[in-house]
Amino acid sequence: MTDQANRLRKQLESANFDPQNYVKQLSQQSDGDRDLQEHRQKIQTLADETAQNLKKNVYKNYRQFIETAKEISYLESEMYQLSHILTEQKSIMESITQSLLSTDKDETAKEMLAAFPKETEEVKQRTLTTLLEKVEGCKNIMDTPGRYLVYNGDLVEYDVDNMAQLQKVHAFLMNDCLLIATWLANRRGTVKYKYNALYDLESFAIVNVKDHPPMKDMFKILMSPESRIFQAENSKIKKEWLEILDETKKNKATKEKHKKEEIEVPNSPVRPEASLSTNPFDEEETNPFESEEAVDLSLEWIQELPEDLDVCIAQRDFEGAVDLLDKLNEYLKDQPVSLRVKELRVKVDERIRQLTEVLVFELSPDRSLRGGPKATRRAVSQLIRLGQSTKACELFLKNRAAAVQTAIRQLRIEGATLLYIHKLCNIFFTSLLETAKEFEMDFAGNTGCYSAFVVWSRSSMKMFVDAFSGQVFDSKESLSTAAECVKVAKEHCKQLSEIGLDLTFTLQSLLVKDIKAALQSYKEIIIEATKHRNSEEMWRKMNLMTPESLTKLKEEMRSCGISSFDQYTGDDCWVNLSYTIVAFTKQMMAFLEEGLKLYFPELHMVLLESLREIILVAVQHVDYSLRCEQEPEKKAFILQNASFLHDTVLPVVEKRFEEGVGKPAKQLQDLRKSTRPVRVNPDSTMSQV
């Protein structure tokens, strides 16, 4: 049978298998319907075996599939970070190359300007004037001296949101701004365009838009608060626009930087010897050349300092870069400020700005958050050494807030609320404790940053309470579950006292609204249940039927604090109390215990008033029954229940409340005094106080 099955499997698995010929041959060789049924059964058995083997293989490799998917996700995250690092290093290397080549470019430009200064400027301005005569509403464009045309051309503007074509425009790129003009449908003479917008080159950024046919040859101008997207005629013109825009923006920035340096570092003229006066105060003035000679900047490490800083930043050797800066500051500490020192400072300050930007990016929430608070220590410590402790504090706390929020968001909501709250508290308070310890280590010498950490802790606690309340209170959990969850949160909150951070009051103030609503809601449930039982009250003794049930009731009453319950039990399994009174006692004592777990001073009156309202419902019902009942035996039984409430239950409630709160409940004492039990006159149907 096995050999036949193997042969059949090989036949069906062969590459040249033809179903029609197979069925035709099978029909010819079979003796009748019975042979066909047997062969069908063999094929069905083979199909079942194949399906079973496939399932086993899938289940066998299922865990490997999951692990592979996780590894792919982690690798994707790491590759994203690596891409950012490579892009950052590429930009740094480009800036180094540009700085090395800028000297040659400046000399060439100066030679060209010296050869053709007036002709170049006049031709460019004349061309710009000719083109602007075709634009309506831009007469004041030429009022700015030195403005000339760099590039112009036709473009098509598209809507940024839905990529719908808006209008045809003509763009004029000048050495300091970009003019956008729209085409006029009704032309008048030489006027072809209408003024639309004028943007300063520093007010926008150029972004290349990837081609997605039919949308291609596009680039975007990013501005605040909105952007615009344009399409060129072809890819060549688009490339020209991007290159010329980028080059023009760089030229303007370089020109303004040189102007600023000339203003900040003016040339100090040397007074001729003939102009020297005999004023004694003039002798105290220092000659800049004399101070320049006093500061020796010819040392090899100082000459190579800017390049060494660039290398350290490119290699992410942040500690080495800051060490070099500290060494320079120490060397120039007591030295006079000369022109060469100022020039060196300008170069170094640019590297400090680049280093600060890299360190800020290291602390941004976009970076991987899996390393915990210790992963930020390197960048934070270097920012503090650079004198950026406030920025380091702000970025560190933002990074940790994003990490905590991500951890809470990734926490899976389990079926059991208490299990979810245990996990939530463990994740949040552990992260908070680790963050506090790392903060204390990193900012030990910056006591002014501690107030920022306290503010951050309060905001993080609010984020935790939002997740906590959404799972505990918004889902309408029972009061006992809510009390256990709040108890767990309070216990975790006490762990922070190890580092001197007490957020218990913050937790209570954020939860007070939800806890108050939960207490009042559960109070209403108890009152409604008590009223429903009162409406069906027959004032009969309880018969628990079995001794086990009676023993269980005694244990329940003993756990509620009512130790004298034995005096209310009768022969066999009888209890000399009404079922309504017993059920009310258990429900009210449970409410009191859960309320004490949730208690803090802001909830004192809420819990007290809730207990008072619940007790009044039972007491008023007993009083009403006494006044309405006319049978002496039932009146005596009702009076016994009233005595149980007044002499046994209410004192236990007062005592337990005082133990849990720490002070007596005057309102409950007054309530007990005002509802003292009545005595029944056997000869009358009226009860007397």
Side-chain angles (χ1 to χ4, degrees), residues 413-585:
I413 299 178
E414 305 282 347
T417 301
L418 189 57
L419 178 61
Y420 171 81
I421 294 301
H422 271 289
K423 292 183 177 180
L424 176 65
C425 291
N426 187 46
I427 288 175
F428 174 76
F429 286 102
T430 301
S431 299
L432 200 62
L433 189 61
E434 291 177 352
T435 301
K437 290 180 179 178
E438 185 65 26
F439 186 91
E440 190 174 12
M441 184 181 298
D442 293 344
F443 298 92
N446 297 274
T447 55
C449 296
Y450 279 73
S451 58
F453 177 75
V454 174
V455 174
W456 175 84
S457 301
R458 289 177 59 86
S459 63
S460 299
M461 182 64 74
K462 187 177 185 304
M463 179 174 58
F464 164 76
V465 169
D466 290 341
F468 181 93
S469 298
Q471 190 66 19
V472 176
F473 296 107
D474 295 347
S475 58
K476 305 298 182 184
E477 291 289 340
S478 64
L479 190 65
S480 59
T481 302
E484 287 297 325
C485 292
V486 172
K487 182 181 177 183
V488 170
K490 286 182 178 179
E491 290 174 353
H492 277 81
C493 201
K494 290 179 181 177
Q495 296 176 0
L496 299 177
S497 59
E498 298 176 7
I499 58 170
L501 182 64
D502 189 2
L503 295 177
T504 305
F505 176 76
T506 303
L507 177 66
Q508 292 175 350
S509 62
L510 292 172
L511 287 175
V512 63
K513 183 179 178 181
D514 291 324
I515 296 178
K516 187 183 296 185
L519 287 173
Q520 291 177 344
S521 175
Y522 201 68
K523 174 200 70 176
E524 296 296 333
I525 293 174
I526 294 177
I527 290 175
E528 289 298 323
T530 304
K531 288 181 178 179
H532 179 72
R533 289 193 297 267
N534 290 344
S535 65
E536 299 176 353
E537 179 63 82
M538 302 298 293
W539 293 114
R540 296 175 181 173
K541 296 181 180 180
M542 290 179 64
N543 185 3
L544 299 178
M545 307 300 290
T546 61
E548 290 79 9
S549 300
L550 180 60
T551 303
K552 182 180 178 182
L553 179 61
K554 288 180 180 180
E555 291 176 355
E556 289 177 353
M557 287 297 178
R558 197 174 295 110
S559 64
C560 291
I562 302 175
S563 57
S564 60
F565 186 74
D566 290 342
Q567 69 184 28
Y568 295 97
T569 58
D571 298 334
D572 297 331
C573 301
W574 289 90
V575 178
N576 298 326
L577 292 172
S578 167
Y579 165 76
T580 301
I581 298 299
V582 174
F584 168 78
T585 302

Side-chain angles (χ1 to χ4, degrees), residues 13 23 30 80 87 106 121 126 198 220 227 300 406 411 445 492 507 509 511 542 618 621 627 654 656 668:
E13 290 177 350
V23 173
S30 63
Y80 179 75
T87 303
D106 291 343
E121 187 174 352
R126 193 182 306 119
L198 183 68
K220 185 184 290 186
S227 305
E300 184 179 355
T406 302
L411 182 62
H492 277 81
L507 177 66
S509 62
L511 287 175
M542 290 179 64
H621 172 66
R627 296 181 186 280
E654 293 174 20
R656 184 69 188 93
L668 295 181

